[in-house]
Amino acid sequence: MKKNYRKPTQRTEKAADQPNELMRLNRYIANAGVCSRREADKLIEGGQIKVNGKVVTELGTKVKRSDKVKYQGKVLNPEKLVYVLLNKPKDFITTTDDPQDRKTVMQLVANAAEERIYPVGRLDRNTTGLLLLTNDGELAERLTHPSYEIQKLYQVDINEPITDEDFIKIENGVVLEDGAAPVDEIGLVGPERTSLGISLHIGRNRIVRRIFEHLGYEVIRLDRVMYAGLTKKDLSRGKWRYLNKAELIKIKHLGRKK
């Protein structure tokens, strides 16, 4: 049976591994997402760009990737920013590399970008659903920091019908060994009471599984169906796509402190 993932393809040495490679300053600025190359030329001519602490105004200037280029006091990243949304299947681990040679999510997005993207947060091996991968370190930090309260929605299937008492306990927030586990909302999916939707913004390790295990339930299936306003619409299991402009604007707006 053919596996549903590809191994990473062999590529030429990546730009990130060539810090002394020369590139035009306007391209460096454009790759950092500031503006187009033509607009970058205007910034350079206007004396708004500093390279290694010095204002540069000459068009056609070339810089190294290792140089420190600043615009409005902010250090620029010369890599094009990439945002990939993956619908993670079961049995893939959320890591960029695995010494035990297990399947990783990076195999699923091997052809998504030349840039080095990496997962934002984690989904454990048996959890499926939405996972964002990017090389935007600033956004990744905001989306994973507790103070930004990024919301996640999961569908949970458990081994036996949940009781009214336990439903209310989860709704009110159970207390685990590392503290309270508040949820934003919980609801039943279907009449069997073994499938539930749970929305929360805390991001502690295996938090959803631990909530149900704390009350004596076994989690049979756990699927993240929404992350930071992003959904799985038109994204089948094991497939990925780039964020569109509207989604990118939305997720960057969400990544602001409450």
Side-chain angles (χ1 to χ4, degrees), residues 85-203:
L85 188 65
L86 170 69
N87 187 351
K88 176 190 170 298
K90 193 176 179 179
D91 292 329
F92 284 78
I93 61 173
T94 308
T95 183
T96 55
D97 186 44
D98 181 56
Q100 299 178 43
D101 202 28
R102 294 171 295 181
K103 295 182 294 187
T104 78
V105 293
M106 304 312 297
Q107 293 171 310
L108 296 167
V109 297
N111 298 316
E114 291 291 335
E115 295 77 13
R116 284 182 173 174
I117 59 176
Y118 51 89
V120 177
R122 287 180 175 270
L123 290 177
D124 65 47
R125 185 174 182 175
N126 292 321
T127 300
T128 59
L130 288 178
L131 183 68
L132 181 67
L133 300 98
T134 185
N135 59 343
D136 187 339
E138 183 178 353
L139 178 63
E141 183 177 354
R142 293 204 306 268
L143 292 178
T144 52
H145 196 282
S147 63
Y148 292 92
E149 299 186 353
I150 300 302
Q151 192 173 50
K152 287 85 66 175
L153 174 63
Y154 294 85
Q155 181 170 334
V156 191
D157 292 343
I158 54 179
N159 62 324
E160 59 182 286
I162 191 168
T163 65
D164 288 338
E165 182 182 3
D166 287 339
F167 186 95
I168 293 171
K169 284 180 180 178
I170 295 175
E171 195 171 39
N172 291 336
V174 300
V175 179
L176 305 177
E177 64 275 10
D178 56 349
V183 304
D184 300 320
E185 191 174 358
I186 183 172
L188 297 173
V189 179
E192 293 83 7
R193 302 180 68 91
T194 57
S195 185
L196 303 97
I198 183 169
S199 173
L200 68 174
H201 60 264
I202 54 176

Side-chain angles (χ1 to χ4, degrees), residues 227-247:
Y227 176 71
L230 303 171
T231 71
K232 298 193 298 180
K233 184 180 179 181
D234 300 325
L235 189 62
S236 57
R237 189 82 72 214
K239 301 298 183 181
W240 61 266
R241 64 173 175 81
Y242 300 111
L243 294 191
N244 60 43
K245 186 175 181 180
E247 289 172 327

Side-chain angles (χ1 to χ4, degrees), residues 39-90:
E39 292 168 332
D41 283 336
K42 294 178 182 179
L43 294 180
I44 295 168
E45 287 183 309
Q48 298 188 58
I49 304 297
K50 286 185 178 182
V51 179
N52 298 328
K54 296 181 180 179
V55 174
V56 174
T57 58
E58 184 179 347
L59 297 181
T61 296
K62 290 189 176 182
V63 294
K64 298 175 184 177
R65 291 182 179 273
S66 57
D67 286 333
K68 184 176 288 187
V69 179
K70 282 189 174 183
Y71 170 60
Q72 294 183 340
K74 182 178 179 181
V75 177
L76 304 183
N77 179 351
E79 281 194 339
K80 176 185 176 183
L81 296 179
V82 180
Y83 306 87
V84 172
L85 188 65
L86 170 69
N87 187 351
K88 176 190 170 298
K90 193 176 179 179

